[in-house]
Amino acid sequence: MDHHHAHSTGSRDLRMARSMCWHCQSEMAGEYFCERCVKVQPVSKDTDYFICFGLPRRLTIDQNKLEAKFYELSRAFHPDFYQNKSDAEQAISLGNSATLNTAYRTLRDPIQRAEYLLDLEAGSVKEIRTSPPSDLFEEILELQETVEAYRASDRDSETGREILAQLVAERQALDQRKQDMEHQLEQLFTDWDTLQDRGDATSQARAERDRLLKQMREILSNRTYVKNIVNDLAETIE
Amino acid sequence: MTAMARIIGIDLGTTNSLVAYMKDGKPCVIPGRAGRAMVPSVVAMTDNGLIVGDSAKEHLTRSPERTVYSVKRFMGKSLADVQNELAYFPYALTEQGGVIRIKLGEKTYSPPQISAMILKELKQRAEAHLGESITKAVITVPAYFNDSQRQATKDAGLIAGLEVLRIINEPTAASLAYGLQDKTQGTIAVYDFGGGTFDISILKLKNGIFEVLATNGDTHLGGDDLDRRIADLFLSEIQTGHHIDLTASPDHMQAVRLEAERAKIRLSDELNTQIEVELPDGKGRYSRELTRDQLESMVMEIIERTLAPCRLALKDAELTTAQIDEIVLVGGSTRMPLVRQRVQELFGKQPHCNLNPDEVVALGAAVQADILSGGTTDMLLLDVTPLSLGIETMGGVMSSLIRRNTTIPASAKELFTTYVDGQTGVDIHILQGERELVKDNRSLARFRLKVPPLPAGVPRIEVTFLIDANGILNVTAADMRTGQRQSIDVKPSYGLSDNEVERMIEDSFKFAQEDVTARKLIEARLDAEALIVTTEKSLAEGGRLVAEDVLASIRAALSALTSAKDGHDPKAIRARMADLELAAKPLSVALLDDSLKRTLQGKTVTEIM
């Protein structure tokens, strides 16, 4: 969840342009280490995680490549290797490692990765509502009542057992629903990546792009609702 | 390679502690004069001063109320946290500023101070062995230790004169020692069942990277609990069979506890063993046979309690037992056949125990020390924070900022503002734990964020919570409007303040240089001074309540103590203090009666009842 605090929306690529080495003030061209004095450079908290890992901004990514790059950068930044360095370098190492760990955690998980990409691509789809659609909302309310009834009931009684059976069935249905949404998402991810790979700049492509973003946002938000209910339900009946 | 000061690796255990270092690319433990590598984590206050280790262990039954063992259980804890086990400890515990204090003779010591004595012993051992001064160390802690417990361990190092370059988790340290030896690749589970704590860590080993996927545990579950279960059986049998209640006799309680521990250890190799306990006042001895089966049925429930954390760790790592390639056993309690059997049943594989389970953690600490000093460069440990970190929000609910099992270093930012015009501060309460409500989680610290007096909602202060590679929290704040950074004075909920630690470091150096009599003289003088002040205060308040002859003898005793205090004999000072206390007794009784009378005045009978 913490990447939500870590970045704000805006033009990230601009901030990637490096200026000067904090230590020797020379013009920076290298990625994370100054070419002249070899000092580690602070990674901006607003760095695009995809760029950080050298990956294209896509929803399907090469997990092996991600992990290999994570290990490589960990070896470059980890505080273990800065014990003999100056306080300034130790502070940069600590900050960079923390940012790197957040970036890795975000990109490794497909859902978090999609959420992150949606934030990056926000633009025209910013105003999408995040409340559940009314049919889902009504279901949640109804289910909540059943859960309450179950909690109040004598669990060994006839009614208690009946409600439990009902809740178990509800849970199965919700689990199925969650899975369906994940399948839908997978399809949307592929569609998105294909569209990006084509790289069309036509108004038709732009409309398609917005449609995909909007759909992903909706399903992601509904999935979060369903996931929370399933967890809540599991706690009550297990 | 430039010569860097040597860094030693220390396993500061509940029952035993060890020190190790890297020699020609191989970690090895440093033995003491008697050739034993393990130093019992026991500190005894004797007439000749404080002693540590094997010699202190002999005092467990001789002077139990002045011999501290298992102090690790009290690190970073308040008295309320350990309330239900106080009866098991023969030494007196009090509390000051949210930190437990242990009473030894005339003085009280915090758990970090006691731990520092053990660390000093290890430091001296290393210095004698290596022939050089040692000032830097890596110290291990249970993976499931919270922030306060880690901070307390770091404080102990400081008090012992050691710069603690890294606090490293015990199971992950063990994995370093194993990985170095076997060049293992794959997913491993480290099951670490020690004297006082239980940890499970699941790691992925790949190309020299040791990535912790999940960790879980119980910092109050260990061999101590097994011993207690066995000792309880002996005590109740002595009670029914011999009609003797040993609970009031600390030395016999200790003897029973130690016999229980020895029997448990013997039963790891044998199927039955003979128990012998000498009873007090020549009432003979308690003896019985104990079989491994009997032991196992007694402690089964405790061992089962280690399995739930294992399942939770697997769940958090999103792995099934079938996906675990190897299981590594660490800690003395894993010598029990029943423990090995249950672990094997859970994971469906034979656990590994090539390395000595008592030494493997210290060996791993030495490997980590070598990584930090630049010796080993191909290995890197990526550990996680064991508990979720959060802050208190409206309605007493915890809002989670950094989830458990997040790779460290980890950071989270939170933006704070005001709700009232001109508000100049925001109170922030930091917590650790997995529960919904604040009251069910561990309070770590509180601090007040300074805010410039502006209309409500205008100030924007960004607070960064950063968990460093030691698993210890650092908090910084910056005013987003001015870009100015703000220093934060964090008050720990269950820890020593910086000033206190500093004073303890000074004390520790001071006492190391002085001989014991000099220290005793200083203490006696301080105590005498305190007694003189309180007696004079009592005289002023209650002189009118007692007879003239009582007053005269108090005054005489006072002047005798005052002149003894200026002398150089601590025994004489103590004797005059006892005289004064005796003389002043009627006065303190009268004062107590008087204040009681005044409290009761004007109250109805039911109120008093």
Side-chain angles (χ1 to χ4, degrees):
Chain A
M1 63 162 292
D2 19 346
H3 69 272
H4 291 295
H5 304 282
H7 69 264
S8 54
T9 46
S11 173
R12 256 150 262 274
D13 301 48
L14 246 174
R15 288 198 198 104
M16 276 303 291
R18 282 282 157 62
S19 46
M20 268 194 290
C21 166
W22 62 272
H23 184 251
C24 71
Q25 320 288 319
S26 64
E27 198 76 24
M28 280 282 303
E31 252 200 311
Y32 300 112
F33 294 87
C34 171
E35 284 170 330
R36 221 179 99 206
C37 69
V38 216
K39 297 273 188 241
V40 65
Q41 302 297 314
V43 174
S44 164
K45 292 262 176 357
D46 302 317
T47 296
D48 179 329
Y49 297 160
F50 289 97
I51 295 176
C52 182
F53 284 100
L55 294 166
R57 195 186 281 184
R58 299 288 183 272
L59 287 165
T60 309
I61 60 173
D62 182 343
Q63 290 281 359
N64 288 325
K65 208 175 153 195
L66 178 73
E67 186 191 74
K69 191 73 183 171
F70 172 61
Y71 287 167
E72 182 195 322
L73 290 174
S74 291
R75 283 185 186 279
F77 295 144
H78 199 276
D80 275 11
F81 304 128
Y82 287 80
Q83 210 70 46
N84 301 330
K85 302 282 170 67
S86 68
D87 286 352
E89 286 165 276
Q90 288 193 14
I92 293 172
S93 139
L94 191 58
N96 283 5
S97 293
T99 305
L100 173 68
N101 289 335
T102 306
Y104 182 54
R105 194 170 56 250
T106 307
L107 293 196
R108 190 178 42 184
D109 177 63
I111 298 297
Q112 280 196 55
R113 189 193 313 143
E115 300 264 9
Y116 177 70
L117 185 130
L118 283 177
D119 275 349
L120 288 178
E121 300 281 352
S124 55
V125 284
K126 250 184 201 163
E127 264 85 68
I128 295 169
R129 49 144 190 82
T130 46
S131 58
S134 52
D135 59 324
L136 186 59
F137 192 65
E138 261 166 41
E139 262 187 72
I140 296 173
L141 283 182
E142 228 170 84
L143 191 63
Q144 218 60 46
E145 274 169 32
T146 322
V147 169
E148 288 305 322
Y150 178 64
R151 283 186 184 139
S153 75
D154 173 5
R155 296 187 184 189
D156 294 324
S157 71
E158 186 76 24
T159 4
R161 277 196 295 273
E162 263 170 37
I163 306 176
L164 179 63
Q166 197 187 332
L167 287 177
V168 170
E170 284 279 8
R171 186 188 163 183
Q172 266 166 0
L174 284 167
D175 262 331
Q176 185 57 49
R177 190 161 175 165
K178 187 169 141 246
Q179 273 177 34
D180 290 347
M181 285 194 266
E182 281 161 8
H183 286 311
Q184 267 177 289
L185 278 173
E186 266 172 49
Q187 187 53 50
L188 286 168
F189 291 173
T190 318
D191 292 351
W192 168 266
D193 287 352
T194 317
L195 185 71
Q196 296 296 102
D197 288 343
R198 270 210 313 270
D200 290 352
T202 60
S203 61
Q204 202 187 348
R206 266 202 304 280
E208 172 69 358
R209 172 187 174 280
D210 286 359
R211 185 188 66 81
L212 287 172
L213 286 174
K214 193 164 181 281
Q215 262 191 315
M216 284 192 276
R217 164 59 64 221
E218 269 179 16
I219 299 176
L220 280 172
S221 120
N222 289 349
R223 181 191 164 278
T224 307
Y225 279 105
V226 172
K227 193 185 92 187
N228 290 342
I229 309 164
V230 171
N231 287 349
D232 205 37
L233 201 52
E235 257 173 53
T236 311
I237 62 182
E238 264 168 17
Chain B
M1 175 97 227
T2 50
M4 195 208 168
R6 193 193 293 279
I7 310 171
I8 52 169
I10 292 177
D11 171 8
L12 183 60
T14 307
T15 322
N16 292 296
S17 298
L18 296 96
V19 56
Y21 76 113
M22 205 72 157
K23 186 185 175 187
D24 307 324
K26 266 192 74 175
C28 51
V29 294
I30 300 177
R33 272 186 297 277
R36 269 166 47 78
M38 289 204 278
V39 174
S41 304
V42 182
V43 173
M45 169 72 99
T46 70
D47 294 338
N48 300 315
L50 288 159
I51 54 170
V52 179
D54 282 313
S55 48
K57 204 174 173 183
E58 289 165 18
H59 287 262
L60 281 172
T61 48
R62 216 185 295 161
S63 50
E65 62 289 333
R66 293 199 298 169
T67 309
V68 184
Y69 66 97
S70 294
V71 70
K72 193 172 175 179
R73 288 200 159 211
F74 304 130
M75 294 286 269
K77 295 277 172 92
S78 71
L79 207 53
D81 296 326
V82 296
Q83 205 58 48
N84 52 1
E85 56 177 334
L86 282 185
Y88 288 98
F89 292 97
Y91 42 91
L93 296 171
T94 56
E95 187 187 289
Q96 195 189 322
V99 176
I100 288 179
R101 312 284 161 148
I102 297 151
K103 207 162 161 354
L104 281 182
E106 310 295 329
K107 275 195 73 161
T108 61
Y109 298 85
S110 63
Q113 279 175 298
I114 301 284
S115 297
M117 293 167 196
I118 300 164
L119 291 174
K120 264 190 182 173
E121 176 75 19
L122 297 166
K123 176 178 184 268
Q124 283 162 8
R125 174 178 280 205
E127 287 173 339
H129 185 84
L130 299 165
E132 61 190 89
S133 161
I134 301 287
T135 57
K136 294 168 194 285
V138 167
I139 303 180
T140 64
V141 295
Y144 217 55
F145 252 23
N146 64 29
D147 184 87
S148 320
Q149 292 167 305
R150 285 166 197 271
Q151 192 60 58
T153 307
K154 217 177 164 188
D155 291 345
L158 280 174
I159 297 167
L162 286 168
E163 190 189 343
V164 183
L165 294 184
R166 180 58 47 81
I167 295 285
I168 172 181
N169 295 330
E170 286 155 10
T172 38
S175 77
L176 284 179
Y178 262 95
L180 185 73
Q181 197 198 28
D182 298 343
K183 302 269 175 260
T184 316
Q185 305 270 329
T187 309
I188 67 165
V190 183
Y191 178 99
D192 181 357
F193 197 17
T197 56
F198 171 71
D199 280 328
I200 175 82
S201 286
I202 294 168
L203 295 97
K204 181 163 157 188
L205 274 55
K206 196 170 178 182
N207 304 328
I209 300 270
F210 291 61
E211 187 190 358
V212 180
L213 302 176
T215 197
N216 210 299
D218 188 334
T219 58
H220 239 71
L221 181 64
D224 276 5
D225 299 283
L226 306 177
D227 300 345
R228 222 171 257 174
R229 191 61 62 89
I230 306 164
D232 282 347
L233 169 78
F234 297 169
L235 289 172
S236 77
E237 286 186 353
I238 290 168
Q239 172 90 277
T240 50
H242 298 262
H243 307 289
I244 303 171
D245 180 12
L246 290 184
T247 48
S249 156
D251 47 339
H252 286 90
M253 284 288 281
Q254 280 291 31
V256 169
R257 186 181 71 83
L258 290 169
E259 179 66 5
E261 187 191 5
R262 283 190 296 264
K264 174 192 74 179
I265 292 168
R266 286 198 298 270
L267 286 174
S268 288
D269 297 318
E270 295 156 22
L271 289 174
N272 60 69
T273 190
Q274 191 60 33
I275 310 297
E276 302 285 345
V277 178
E278 209 68 46
L279 295 174
D281 311 321
K283 285 182 182 151
R285 58 174 39 195
Y286 159 76
S287 63
R288 91 189 300 277
E289 194 196 51
L290 189 69
T291 68
R292 188 187 283 177
D293 284 347
Q294 286 168 330
L295 170 76
E296 290 183 344
S297 64
M298 246 191 292
V299 299
M300 179 63 105
E301 176 264 332
I302 297 172
I303 291 166
E304 290 300 313
R305 265 157 60 195
T306 66
L307 302 180
C310 294
R311 294 191 189 99
L312 287 171
L314 280 166
K315 194 175 166 212
D316 279 355
E318 294 174 15
L319 292 171
T320 62
T321 52
Q323 289 169 289
I324 303 292
D325 300 315
E326 277 180 43
I327 302 121
V328 171
L329 295 182
V330 182
S333 301
T334 61
R335 286 215 167 83
M336 281 185 85
L338 180 63
V339 171
R340 294 189 175 191
Q341 185 198 323
R342 294 299 292 132
V343 172
Q344 186 168 346
E345 280 165 9
L346 176 70
F347 289 97
K349 312 193 166 57
Q350 182 106 30
H352 252 267
C353 24
N354 307 344
L355 290 172
N356 182 339
D358 292 320
E359 293 182 356
V360 62
V361 169
L363 295 175
V367 175
Q368 180 64 38
D370 198 49
I371 295 171
L372 296 183
S373 58
T376 303
T377 52
D378 55 339
M379 288 163 85
L380 175 62
L381 178 60
L382 299 173
D383 218 321
V384 299
T385 181
L387 298 157
S388 298
L389 182 98
I391 50 171
E392 176 166 357
T393 57
M394 301 280 262
V397 172
M398 166 164 147
S399 152
S400 183
L401 296 174
I402 298 175
R403 304 263 302 161
R404 70 167 183 275
N405 292 322
T406 297
T407 307
I408 51 175
S411 68
K413 289 176 183 299
E414 193 73 13
L415 207 56
F416 292 93
T417 187
T418 50
Y419 294 101
V420 182
D421 288 343
Q423 189 180 337
T424 56
V426 177
D427 291 313
I428 296 173
H429 185 193
I430 311 174
L431 305 151
Q432 222 172 10
E434 309 311 320
R435 305 280 299 275
E436 187 99 352
L437 296 180
V438 168
K439 65 177 175 62
D440 298 322
N441 290 305
R442 186 75 178 164
S443 168
L444 286 191
R446 292 170 192 274
F447 65 91
R448 190 175 181 81
L449 206 57
K450 289 189 286 285
V451 180
L454 289 166
V458 173
R460 288 172 66 216
I461 312 283
E462 187 184 65
V463 179
T464 303
F465 300 86
L466 183 128
I467 299 177
D468 66 16
N470 301 309
I472 293 177
L473 176 68
N474 301 266
V475 185
T476 49
D479 190 324
M480 296 302 277
R481 287 172 43 259
T482 62
Q484 214 158 35
R485 289 176 76 81
Q486 178 181 130
S487 72
I488 292 174
D489 188 20
V490 175
K491 197 197 162 307
S493 307
Y494 301 98
L496 300 168
S497 67
D498 289 352
N499 288 340
E500 244 183 317
V501 173
E502 222 147 276
R503 213 191 56 236
M504 286 171 183
I505 295 170
E506 279 168 27
D507 279 357
S508 140
F509 282 122
K510 205 163 71 200
F511 290 142
Q513 284 151 10
E514 283 168 4
D515 66 345
V516 177
T517 33
R519 194 200 313 174
K520 281 192 167 166
L521 181 60
I522 293 169
E523 286 170 1
R525 279 175 177 166
L526 287 172
D527 291 348
E529 245 165 52
L531 182 63
I532 291 169
V533 169
T534 51
T535 312
E536 278 170 347
K537 193 165 158 257
S538 305
L539 274 176
E541 280 170 11
R544 63 196 160 78
L545 298 170
V546 291
E548 195 53 47
D549 58 331
V550 174
L551 284 180
S553 60
I554 293 176
R555 289 205 182 96
L558 256 178
S559 78
L561 177 60
T562 308
S563 50
K565 184 171 74 79
D566 296 333
H568 292 276
D569 183 0
K571 276 195 186 136
I573 300 175
R574 297 279 171 206
R576 295 293 87 75
M577 282 175 70
D579 291 349
L580 176 58
E581 272 167 338
L582 194 67
K585 194 144 194 222
L587 175 61
S588 44
V589 170
L591 271 171
L592 193 69
D593 280 352
D594 189 55
S595 78
L596 210 60
K597 229 179 277 167
R598 261 180 292 154
T599 324
L600 297 188
Q601 258 162 22
K603 295 209 171 158
T604 64
V605 178
T606 46
E607 268 179 304
I608 297 163
M609 298 297 282

